[in-house]
């Protein structure tokens, strides 16, 4: 196997203590780090002073660099012979566009390595006291994107999400919360199903709102949360008042 020239590294959900040992080692050995907007400063501070940092973060309708350009940038840096770390929030292969970057590297014959990270669903759920599965409440979990590219309408298999034994986790869903609520209820999900929004999960800024699917949008209007924010829908959310152990939480009337 050829030595990787590019390491696609998951930085986890925001708390630097949740970095994997391998991620930390690669960051500290990097000559170039190409990083996203959601990688916190505490993790960026682990990058050697001698390393070049390239910011390629994206926000809604504000991309510092197009994804296609990021893909080709990694190819160019690898061809310079640098030790390249592509540092992404969460996990590179879960709504992280890491697979697109890996495909471009493969097409150009660039050896690469994927370093998994703690994805937001696992990290935010754990820190908010919401187990994504629990015997008698949830036998499975489904990760769903909460937004579409270029502000297109969110299209999902809504009827496929009506199983009450499955926890639903929506990433980057604040802007489309009304669409999600309306379509899930229309598909047969009980409006009284427990639901939560977790903002800045695993960090010192973590805040959460607990409500129901039918009332969460109104609750967030009263208690707005900043992005990044994760939406969790399922019976397991009802365990949060007993299991929440980290930081502050805000409870909304269900």
């Amino acid at each position: 196997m050829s030595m990787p020239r590019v390491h696609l590294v998951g930085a986890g959900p925001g708390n630097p203590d949740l970095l994997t040992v391998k991620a930390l080692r690669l960051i500290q050995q990097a000559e170039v780090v190409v990083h996203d907007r959601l990688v916190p400063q505490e993790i960026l501070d682990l990058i050697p002073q001698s390393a070049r940092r390239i910011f390629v973060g994206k926000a809604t309708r504000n991309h510092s660099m197009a994804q296609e350009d990021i893909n080709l940038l990694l190819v160019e840096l690898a061809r310079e012979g640098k030790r390249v770390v592509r540092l992404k929030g969460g996990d590179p292969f879960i709504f992280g566009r890491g697979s697109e970057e890996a495909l471009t590297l493969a097409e150009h014959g660039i050896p690469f390595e994927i370093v998994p990270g703690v994805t937001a669903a696992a990290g935010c759920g754990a820190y908010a006291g919401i187990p994504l599965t629990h015997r008698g409440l949830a036998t499975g979990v489904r990760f769903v994107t909460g937004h579409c590219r270029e502000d297109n309408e969110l299209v999902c298999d809504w009827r496929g999400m009506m199983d009450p034994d499955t926890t639903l986790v929506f990433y980057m869903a604040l802007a489309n919360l009304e669409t999600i609520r309306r379509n899930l209820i229309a598909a047969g999900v009980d409006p009284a199903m427990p639901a939560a929004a977790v903002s800045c999960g695993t960090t010192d800024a973590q805040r959460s709102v607990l409500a129901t699917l039918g009332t969460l949008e109104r609750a967030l209007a009263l208690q707005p949360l900043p992005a990044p924010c994760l939406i969790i829908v399922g019976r397991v959310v009802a365990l949060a008042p007993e299991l929440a152990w980290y930081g502050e939480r805000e409870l909304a009337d269900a």
Side-chain angles (χ1 to χ4, degrees), residues 141-209:
V141 58
R142 183 168 181 175
F143 300 164
V144 188
T145 182
H147 80 293
C148 290
R149 63 190 304 176
E150 299 174 355
D151 296 326
N152 291 328
E153 182 181 356
L154 183 63
V155 177
C156 297
D157 175 20
W158 302 108
R159 290 207 168 274
M161 300 183 202
M162 63 181 294
D163 178 9
D165 292 325
T166 299
T167 303
L168 304 176
V169 183
F170 292 89
Y171 284 63
M172 302 162 287
L174 274 182
N176 283 315
L177 182 55
E178 190 279 331
T179 299
I180 292 168
R181 177 196 61 79
R182 171 169 39 84
N183 282 285
L184 286 178
I185 292 174
V189 179
D190 187 349
M193 181 69 75
V198 183
S199 171
C200 303
T202 78
T203 73
D204 291 341
Q206 175 176 307
R207 292 171 58 203
S208 60
V209 168

Side-chain angles (χ1 to χ4, degrees), residues 10 34 47 67 72 84-85 95-96 99 105 118 132 177 194 198 220:
V34 181
I47 301 171
Q67 184 61 52
L72 294 175
V84 181
V85 166
F95 304 125
S99 54
L105 293 168
V118 176
L132 300 183
L177 182 55
V198 183
L220 286 172

Side-chain angles (χ1 to χ4, degrees), residues 95-106:
F95 304 125
R97 309 290 288 273
S99 54
E100 297 177 37
E101 295 168 2
L103 282 170
T104 299
L105 293 168

Side-chain angles (χ1 to χ4, degrees), residues 88-120:
K88 294 171 164 294
D91 179 272
F93 273 10
I94 300 181
F95 304 125
R97 309 290 288 273
S99 54
E100 297 177 37
E101 295 168 2
L103 282 170
T104 299
L105 293 168
E107 289 165 2
H108 288 81
I110 304 296
F112 60 89
E113 178 181 20
I114 310 299
V115 181
V118 176
T119 189

